[in-house]
Amino acid sequence: MRRLPIYLRALHELLDEDVQIVSSHELAERTGLSPEQIRKDLAYFGAFGRRGVGYETRILASAIRDILGLNRELRVALVGAGNLGTALARYTADRHHGVRVVAIFDSDPHKVGTRIAGVVVQPLDQMVDTLRQRQIRMAIVAVPATQARRVIDMLAEAGVQGVLNFAPTKVRAPRGMRIHHVDVTLELQSLAFWVTAEGEVSGSSSGGEPSSWQVRQCRAEKEYPPRQ
Amino acid sequence: MRRLPIYLRALHELLDEDVQIVSSHELAERTGLSPEQIRKDLAYFGAFGRRGVGYETRILASAIRDILGLNRELRVALVGAGNLGTALARYTADRHHGVRVVAIFDSDPHKVGTRIAGVVVQPLDQMVDTLRQRQIRMAIVAVPATQARRVIDMLAEAGVQGVLNFAPTKVRAPRGMRIHHVDVTLELQSLAFWVTAEGEVSGSSSGGEPSSWQVRQCRAEKEYPPRQ
DNA sequence: AATTGTGAAACACTTCACAGCC
DNA sequence: GGCTGTGAAGTGTTTCACAATT
């Protein structure tokens, strides 16, 4: 499921290059995945390819957009008009990925009424009514962690079914809602494991008792055998 | 590996509440993971708990920070001082998660010299030298997709070992570098699968040939049996 | 009695190998 | 010959069940 958008991106690149037919090997090359995996994934949703030939670029792209529900542009609400929210709103406005921020809400009265990427910021207490009325079913949450739970409950009440949450808290998804979490802190902290701290030597250790950074080295060497 | 930061966050919450001892069940409750998984994870790095008692909150938190290399604050560079970059810089400055943006680079001359969260923005062509000199080993890339590859090559040249990439392109990690990708487009598009398009009824279908949204419904019901 | 640590079983996911088509 | 589609094998991860420990 998470890989379909990756294929879609590669297919759009190929379409820009006027490539009509693409093989699983070519797609693998461009996505960094294996040809078998791509074939399995695509076959799961039905037979889109022709044996001995490959996949028809335009048809496959359209099929994937259809599976994802992106053939009509999906309207998304943004909650939280800070720097992060602004970046996201502008981003979806620039290129058309099938998803676009069409409503923005913030609790700060100073922000209400301003425009971001052409969309007027509305007060938070108008959110539930507006989303219901406009039948918006997806939202991006870019508010402080303390407000996330309340905002997500409100979104559930408004009938929102999918949420992309940037707030650094693990909130359980209400019934009927799916939440994808983007947690920068978690990413940075887990990435930290792979970098050597200052003062550490990146070569082999010189005796002494096993310390945590040796664990780190050991683990690191599992995935990067040569490591320089 | 990716779960250690989750445990760490829960442990810090517990420490704020002056909880001295915590069981795998309590941690499971707070993280949404299973007790067995937590025990397996922690046991993998060594025995931190006492049978019949639980885990000592402070010691476990410290051990995890040690494994991740976060007991000394990790200095990180930010490349790209747009809205997204600004949000991230401010975010790491506010709370101390063991990771902090201490250098910012941008190619826009208008941004160079300004301050974000107390850090002066430097021109991109000073990046490699500055990072080498200050021994900065981790970076956040928040530049347009077109620049991402070049920036990441420069970071590799500067000795950076870990990169958190927000640019919507899959760049292969250079030797000795680990890249974590945060791709908002991909997240939004895969989330789109789970929401019903406007006009669709969320109940059962009324005959006709199987269409993609029925696939969507079918898949959705696998993970959310009741779904309302 | 409560809780960890851990081998075994179950499960999920990926890769392999090749049959079936073009 | 080249490529897809797919059962089978392989690999990795999660859950189960329980022995070990306080």
Side-chain angles (χ1 to χ4, degrees):
Chain A
M1 205 53 247
R2 312 206 78 114
R3 285 189 294 267
L4 289 187
I6 298 175
Y7 304 149
L8 193 55
R9 178 177 291 164
L11 288 167
H12 282 288
E13 281 175 20
L14 287 162
L15 279 172
D16 287 344
E17 298 167 26
D18 276 321
V19 178
Q20 312 268 316
I21 299 281
V22 64
S23 69
S24 59
H25 290 266
E26 173 68 22
L27 273 174
E29 193 79 13
R30 296 196 176 226
T31 57
L33 302 164
S34 75
E36 304 89 328
Q37 177 142 82
I38 292 173
R39 293 203 299 275
K40 264 256 153 73
D41 285 347
L42 299 179
Y44 177 83
F45 291 102
F48 298 116
R50 280 200 303 168
R51 299 185 181 202
V53 182
Y55 300 90
E56 209 162 326
T57 320
R58 189 172 303 277
I59 290 176
L60 182 55
S62 178
I64 292 177
R65 278 199 305 270
D66 209 47
I67 292 164
L68 293 171
L70 294 172
N71 265 329
R72 281 149 194 57
E73 194 157 71
L74 188 61
R75 299 166 306 132
V76 174
L78 168 68
V79 196
N83 278 300
L84 179 59
T86 303
L88 296 170
R90 288 194 182 151
Y91 182 61
T92 67
D94 284 352
R95 288 182 165 262
H96 49 291
H97 309 100
V99 176
R100 184 181 230 111
V101 169
V102 296
I104 305 179
F105 302 92
D106 201 297
S107 57
D108 182 352
H110 291 96
K111 280 173 188 156
V112 170
T114 62
R115 272 169 183 277
I116 297 170
V119 180
V120 178
V121 179
Q122 294 177 257
L124 200 63
D125 46 35
Q126 285 180 11
M127 185 169 74
V128 175
D129 286 343
T130 306
L131 295 186
R132 276 219 186 100
Q133 213 164 7
R134 298 182 63 185
Q135 300 204 336
I136 293 175
R137 300 236 172 72
M138 218 165 100
I140 301 171
V141 173
V143 300
T146 48
Q147 293 188 42
R149 155 128 284 151
R150 189 170 64 97
V151 164
I152 286 173
D153 285 342
M154 287 168 69
L155 289 171
E157 197 195 329
V160 167
Q161 297 167 329
V163 164
L164 186 56
N165 174 42
F166 285 83
T169 32
K170 208 82 181 175
V171 285
R172 275 189 298 274
R175 174 74 30 113
M177 180 187 276
R178 191 177 169 91
I179 303 181
H180 284 195
H181 295 274
V182 175
D183 198 316
V184 176
T185 305
L186 260 37
E187 292 296 335
L188 283 173
Q189 289 185 339
S190 68
L191 193 57
F193 175 84
W194 301 96
V195 310
T196 56
E198 47 202 314
E200 283 180 11
V201 188
S202 64
S204 65
S205 75
S206 55
E209 63 179 10
S211 67
S212 71
W213 76 263
Q214 286 180 330
V215 174
R216 200 146 69 246
Q217 289 291 315
C218 158
R219 299 273 309 145
E221 268 151 21
K222 277 187 189 170
E223 279 211 9
Y224 291 108
R227 183 129 189 160
Q228 181 163 6
Chain B
M1 206 53 247
R2 311 204 79 114
R3 285 190 293 267
L4 289 186
I6 298 174
Y7 304 149
L8 193 55
R9 179 176 291 165
L11 288 166
H12 281 163
E13 280 173 22
L14 286 161
L15 279 172
D16 287 344
E17 299 166 25
D18 277 322
V19 178
Q20 312 268 316
I21 300 280
V22 64
S23 70
S24 58
H25 290 267
E26 172 69 21
L27 273 175
E29 191 80 12
R30 297 198 175 224
T31 58
L33 302 164
S34 74
E36 303 90 325
Q37 178 144 81
I38 292 173
R39 293 203 299 273
K40 263 257 154 72
D41 285 347
L42 298 179
Y44 177 83
F45 291 102
F48 299 116
R50 280 200 304 167
R51 301 186 180 202
V53 180
Y55 300 90
E56 209 162 327
T57 319
R58 186 171 306 275
I59 289 176
L60 182 55
S62 179
I64 292 178
R65 279 198 306 271
D66 208 46
I67 292 165
L68 292 172
L70 293 172
N71 266 328
R72 281 149 195 57
E73 195 159 68
L74 188 61
R75 299 167 307 133
V76 175
L78 167 68
V79 196
N83 278 300
L84 180 58
T86 303
L88 296 169
R90 287 193 183 152
Y91 182 62
T92 67
D94 284 352
R95 286 183 166 262
H96 50 291
H97 309 100
V99 176
R100 183 181 230 110
V101 169
V102 297
I104 305 179
F105 303 93
D106 200 296
S107 55
D108 181 353
H110 291 95
K111 279 173 187 156
V112 169
T114 62
R115 272 170 183 275
I116 297 171
V119 180
V120 178
V121 178
Q122 293 178 259
L124 200 62
D125 47 34
Q126 285 180 12
M127 186 170 74
V128 175
D129 286 343
T130 307
L131 294 187
R132 277 220 186 99
Q133 212 164 7
R134 298 181 64 184
Q135 300 204 334
I136 293 175
R137 300 235 173 75
M138 219 165 101
I140 301 172
V141 173
V143 300
T146 50
Q147 293 189 40
R149 155 128 282 151
R150 189 170 63 97
V151 164
I152 285 172
D153 286 342
M154 288 169 70
L155 289 171
E157 196 195 329
V160 166
Q161 297 167 330
V163 164
L164 186 56
N165 175 43
F166 285 83
T169 33
K170 207 81 181 177
V171 287
R172 275 190 297 276
R175 173 82 19 123
M177 178 187 279
R178 190 178 171 90
I179 303 181
H180 284 194
H181 296 273
V182 175
D183 198 316
V184 176
T185 305
L186 260 38
E187 292 295 335
L188 282 173
Q189 288 185 338
S190 68
L191 192 59
F193 174 84
W194 301 96
V195 310
T196 55
E198 46 203 313
E200 282 180 13
V201 188
S202 64
S204 66
S205 75
S206 55
E209 62 178 9
S211 68
S212 71
W213 77 263
Q214 286 181 330
V215 174
R216 201 145 70 247
Q217 288 292 314
C218 158
R219 300 273 309 144
E221 268 150 21
K222 276 187 190 168
E223 279 210 11
Y224 290 107
R227 184 128 190 161
Q228 183 160 12

